[in-house]
Amino acid sequence: MRTFSLRGHVALVTGGSRGIGAAIVKALGEAGCSVAVNYRERAAEADALAKEIVKAGGRAIAVGADVSKPDAVTAMVQRASSELGPIDILVNNAGIAIVRGVEDLTEADFDQTMLVNLKSAFLCTQAVLPGMRAKQWGRIVNISSGAARGAGAIGPHYNASKAGIEGLTRGYAARLVKEGITVNAVAPSLIETDMMKGEPQLVSRIPLGRFGQPEEVAKAVMMLIDNPYMTGQTIAMSGGMAFN
């Protein structure tokens, strides 16, 4: 996917080793951006993505960190900044989907979902903001979900975490708009990733007749990075599905 130039910029993509995160990493690399590819467990995949960018003449590193933990986030941002330069593009993509019915949902499920899906975005944003403010330029894109405004298929804990992401997006956007920093979200529904494997019946819910592709989500992320006038918004990507 060819796009505008981001040479001279440094991005951090959390959960960047596969799926939507990997597609975003590739798009950023193709635009000339230096990229820190965050992963928690999939070191080989993250390292392969970084090497692919380097082989093409760009700059990238793989950085392991549990982004739900403050110390790990601090260390990750320090390493990325040291090796690539100050981070001025952040894509908060890390997330988990613990599928539970209401009767089976536990407090531990709820807490873990909030930590990984919501608190991580807060921690990473807080960590990169000083550098963005110093530069008076920054782009933050949070990956939400159609579940933020609809019933979804995963559970109310997941709905709540993604609704929180959109609230976080609007709150930061309103407070950073005069400092050259935009904050937006992309809310995909039923994208063809590992999460959707074994769920072909869900295609029937999509008016377009197919799952979305990670690369299509990446295109929306890149559009937001390129648009200095758009902030505090959520782009829904649902193939025509209503939120119900």
Side-chain angles (χ1 to χ4, degrees):
M1 181 175 66
R2 296 297 172 185
T3 183
F4 56 95
S5 175
L6 286 173
R7 294 199 180 280
H9 293 284
V10 178
L12 167 63
V13 181
T14 69
S17 64
R18 59 178 178 155
I20 291 171
I24 294 167
V25 166
K26 291 176 183 178
L28 287 163
E30 289 176 5
C33 192
S34 299
V35 189
V37 186
N38 162 255
Y39 66 92
R40 187 170 67 92
E41 295 177 341
R42 297 175 179 266
E45 289 96 325
D47 193 53
L49 278 171
K51 286 180 178 177
E52 186 180 320
I53 292 173
V54 171
K55 186 177 180 181
R59 301 170 69 231
I61 59 171
V63 188
D66 182 343
V67 291
S68 70
K69 297 181 178 179
D71 291 347
V73 169
T74 298
M76 172 184 65
V77 170
Q78 287 177 344
R79 183 187 163 199
S81 299
S82 174
E83 296 193 31
L84 298 175
I87 296 164
D88 55 7
I89 298 170
L90 170 65
V91 182
N92 284 309
N93 172 70
I96 57 172
I98 303 171
V99 181
R100 291 285 188 270
V102 172
E103 63 281 358
D104 299 318
L105 185 60
T106 67
E107 183 178 357
D109 294 332
F110 186 91
D111 289 347
Q112 183 67 8
T113 299
M114 287 297 173
L115 282 172
V116 178
N117 291 5
L118 181 56
K119 186 178 180 180
S120 67
F122 163 74
L123 292 174
C124 292
T125 299
Q126 291 291 106
V128 303
L129 268 182
M132 291 184 180
R133 288 181 128 159
K135 190 176 180 179
Q136 290 286 288
W137 194 96
R139 298 288 182 268
I140 299 170
V141 182
N142 299 318
I143 304 303
S144 179
S145 166
R149 285 158 286 163
I154 296 168
H157 54 310
Y158 186 81
N159 296 61
S161 70
K162 292 303 186 177
I165 280 286
E166 296 189 13
L168 203 72
T169 297
R170 292 188 296 272
Y172 275 119
R175 289 160 178 81
L176 299 172
V177 66
K178 293 184 179 180
E179 298 183 62
I181 302 168
T182 67
V183 189
N184 292 288
V186 177
S189 297
L190 300 181
I191 305 302
E192 193 167 10
T193 62
D194 289 348
M195 192 186 301
M196 289 295 108
K197 284 183 178 176
E199 301 287 348
Q201 75 283 358
L202 294 178
V203 172
S204 64
R205 296 172 51 187
I206 308 170
L208 192 59
R210 65 169 176 84
F211 287 127
Q213 296 300 310
E215 294 74 17
E216 291 170 322
V217 181
K219 287 180 181 180
V221 171
M222 297 300 284
M223 183 274 286
L224 290 170
I225 291 170
D226 188 40
N227 194 323
Y229 197 68
M230 191 168 184
T231 193
Q233 304 303 309
T234 297
I235 296 177
M237 302 191 68
S238 64
M241 283 191 301
F243 292 107
N244 54 37

